[in-house]
Amino acid sequence: MGRLLFRILNKLNLLNKLNLVGRIKLNNKPFDIPVLGEIGFSNMWMSEPWMVKLLDIVVPISAGSFLDVGVNIGQTLLKVKSVSSEIDYIGFEPNPTCVFYVKELVKVNKFDNVTLIPAGISTETELGKLFFYGSSTIDSSASIIQNFRPGEKVTKTEFIPIFNMAAVKQNLSINKIGIIKIDVEGCELEVLSELENDIMANQPIILLEILPVYKAENLVRLERQQEIEQLFVKWGYVNFRIIKQNEEFKNATEINEIGIHGTINNCEYVVIPKSLKNDFVNSCLHKIKGTDED
C-alpha cells in the first residue's frame, strides 16, 4: 500500500481503525511496514535518514553483533537490515507496545538473526517506571529517568522491567559486540556503565544521542554528560559529532568535549576506539567523496 493512501486515511481519521501493511524502500531495498492503527505510521516516512549513511560507514569496519538499546518501533532495525541483512541484531526495548509492534515488523519482513529483549538496561535489575511526556503509546521521548525534562508534564507512567547485564547473560548468549546504539532519553550513563565490561572486552563502535544541557545551571544533565565523557577517556575512545544537513549525513567531526549547547541537530555522536579511528575517518572520506561525485 502506497504512502498517498496512508496520508488520506490519516486525514480522514480512519487509520486508527485499520491494520494495514505498506511498503517503503530504504537504501534501495524494499521493506514491508505494518501499520497497526496509528502505530507504525511514522515508519512509512523514515526518520533520521542520515543514520543509513553512518551505518554504511561503520558496519564494514566493525565485526560482531549490533546491540540496539532503545528499539522504539524498529527505526534502527530497518536501517541496519538495509545495510546488512545478515548482521546479528539484539534489541532492548522496555515499552510493551513497541515490543508488540516490532515483533510484527520482524515477522512480515521475515528478518533473520533478530533477538528482541522486552526490557531496559541499567545498573540494577528491578521494576522500573517509564515516564511519558506525550499522548502516544509509543512516545519516543519517554524516559526512565524521573524529572529528566524539568518543566514538562508527565502524561502517564508505566511499570517496566529493567535488567542489568548479569541478569541478561543468564539466559542470553551474546557473542562479540561490534556496534552499540544507545537512544534512551537520559539514561545513557547507566547503560554505558553497565556495558563497561563488554565495551572494554569487545571495543565496539558506539552510536548514541546525548540531549543538550542547554545552560550551565542544568547541573544534573551537565554532570551526567561529563561522567560519560570521562568513561570515553578511560576506555581510550574518540568522540565524533555527527554533522547533518537537511537530515542527510555530511561528515563527522572529532570533538574534545560535548560542552554546553542548545542545538538539537548536534546531539548525535559516534564514539570510536582509537584502534578503529583511522578506518572510520577513511571510510567517512570515501563515502562523502562518493556522495559528492554522485
Coordinates of all heavy atoms in Angstrom, one line a residue, residues 21 23 30 33 38 45 63 89 108 130 148 154 232 234-235 249 255 278:
V21 N -0.6 -3.0 5.8 CA 0.8 -3.2 5.5 C 1.2 -2.3 4.3 O 0.6 -2.5 3.3 CB 1.2 -4.6 5.3 CG1 2.7 -4.8 4.9 CG2 0.9 -5.5 6.5
R23 N 4.6 -0.4 2.1 CA 5.9 -0.8 1.6 C 6.7 0.5 1.4 O 6.2 1.5 0.8 CB 5.8 -1.6 0.4 CG 7.2 -1.9 -0.2 CD 7.2 -3.1 -1.2 NE 7.1 -4.4 -0.4 CZ 7.5 -5.6 -1.0 NH1 8.0 -5.6 -2.2 NH2 7.4 -6.7 -0.2
P30 N 13.5 -3.0 -0.5 CA 12.1 -2.9 -0.1 C 11.9 -3.5 1.3 O 12.5 -4.5 1.7 CB 11.4 -3.7 -1.2 CG 12.4 -4.7 -1.6 CD 13.8 -4.1 -1.5
I33 N 5.9 -2.5 5.9 CA 5.7 -1.7 7.1 C 4.3 -2.0 7.7 O 3.3 -1.5 7.1 CB 5.9 -0.2 6.9 CG1 7.3 0.1 6.3 CG2 5.7 0.5 8.2 CD1 8.5 -0.3 7.2
E38 N -2.6 3.5 14.4 CA -1.7 4.5 14.1 C -0.2 4.1 14.4 O 0.7 4.9 14.1 CB -2.0 5.8 14.9 CG -3.4 6.4 14.5 CD -3.7 7.7 15.2 OE1 -3.0 7.9 16.2 OE2 -4.7 8.3 14.9
W45 N 7.5 7.1 6.7 CA 8.3 8.2 6.3 C 9.5 8.2 7.3 O 9.5 8.8 8.4 CB 7.5 9.5 6.5 CG 6.5 9.7 5.4 CD1 6.7 10.4 4.2 CD2 5.2 9.2 5.4 NE1 5.5 10.3 3.5 CE2 4.6 9.5 4.2 CE3 4.4 8.4 6.3 CZ2 3.3 9.2 3.8 CZ3 3.1 8.0 6.0 CH2 2.6 8.4 4.7
A63 N 33.1 -5.7 13.6 CA 32.9 -7.1 13.5 C 32.1 -7.5 14.7 O 32.5 -7.3 15.8 CB 34.2 -7.9 13.3
Y89 N 21.4 -8.9 15.2 CA 20.8 -7.7 15.8 C 20.2 -8.2 17.2 O 19.4 -9.1 17.2 CB 19.7 -7.1 14.9 CG 18.9 -6.0 15.5 CD1 19.2 -4.7 15.3 CD2 17.8 -6.3 16.3 CE1 18.5 -3.6 15.9 CE2 17.0 -5.3 16.9 CZ 17.4 -4.0 16.7 OH 16.6 -3.0 17.2
V108 N 6.7 -9.8 9.4 CA 6.2 -9.5 8.0 C 7.4 -9.4 7.0 O 7.3 -9.7 5.8 CB 5.4 -8.3 7.9 CG1 4.1 -8.4 8.7 CG2 6.1 -7.0 8.3
L130 N 8.5 4.0 33.5 CA 8.7 4.7 32.3 C 7.8 5.9 32.3 O 6.6 5.8 32.4 CB 8.4 3.8 31.1 CG 8.7 4.4 29.7 CD1 10.2 4.7 29.5 CD2 8.2 3.4 28.6
F148 N 13.5 14.0 34.1 CA 14.5 14.2 33.1 C 14.2 15.5 32.2 O 15.1 16.1 31.7 CB 14.6 13.0 32.1 CG 15.6 13.2 31.0 CD1 17.0 13.3 31.3 CD2 15.2 13.3 29.7 CE1 17.9 13.5 30.3 CE2 16.1 13.4 28.7 CZ 17.5 13.6 29.0
V154 N 4.5 15.1 32.9 CA 4.4 13.7 32.7 C 3.0 13.3 32.5 O 2.1 13.5 33.3 CB 5.0 12.9 33.9 CG1 4.8 11.4 33.7 CG2 6.5 13.2 34.1
F232 N 34.6 7.6 28.3 CA 35.2 7.5 26.9 C 36.7 7.7 27.0 O 37.5 6.9 26.4 CB 34.7 8.6 26.0 CG 33.2 8.5 25.7 CD1 32.5 9.6 25.3 CD2 32.5 7.3 25.8 CE1 31.1 9.5 25.0 CE2 31.2 7.2 25.5 CZ 30.5 8.3 25.1
K234 N 38.5 7.0 29.7 CA 39.0 5.8 30.4 C 39.2 4.6 29.5 O 40.1 3.8 29.6 CB 38.0 5.5 31.6 CG 38.3 4.2 32.3 CD 37.2 4.0 33.4 CE 37.4 2.6 34.1 NZ 36.3 2.4 35.0
W235 N 38.2 4.5 28.6 CA 38.2 3.3 27.6 C 39.1 3.5 26.4 O 39.3 2.6 25.7 CB 36.8 3.1 27.1 CG 35.8 2.7 28.2 CD1 36.1 2.2 29.4 CD2 34.4 2.9 28.1 NE1 34.9 2.0 30.1 CE2 33.8 2.5 29.4 CE3 33.5 3.5 27.2 CZ2 32.5 2.5 29.7 CZ3 32.1 3.5 27.5 CH2 31.6 3.0 28.7
F249 N 23.5 12.8 6.2 CA 24.8 12.8 6.8 C 25.8 13.6 5.9 O 25.9 13.4 4.7 CB 25.3 11.3 6.9 CG 26.7 11.2 7.4 CD1 26.9 11.0 8.8 CD2 27.8 11.2 6.6 CE1 28.2 10.8 9.3 CE2 29.1 11.0 7.1 CZ 29.3 10.9 8.5
I255 N 35.6 15.8 18.4 CA 35.5 16.8 19.5 C 36.2 16.4 20.8 O 36.2 15.2 21.1 CB 34.0 17.2 19.7 CG1 33.2 15.9 20.2 CG2 33.3 17.8 18.5 CD1 31.8 16.2 20.6
N278 N 41.4 5.5 12.4 CA 41.8 5.8 11.0 C 40.9 5.1 10.0 O 40.6 5.7 9.0 CB 43.2 5.3 10.8 CG 44.3 6.2 11.5 OD1 44.0 7.3 11.9 ND2 45.4 5.6 11.8

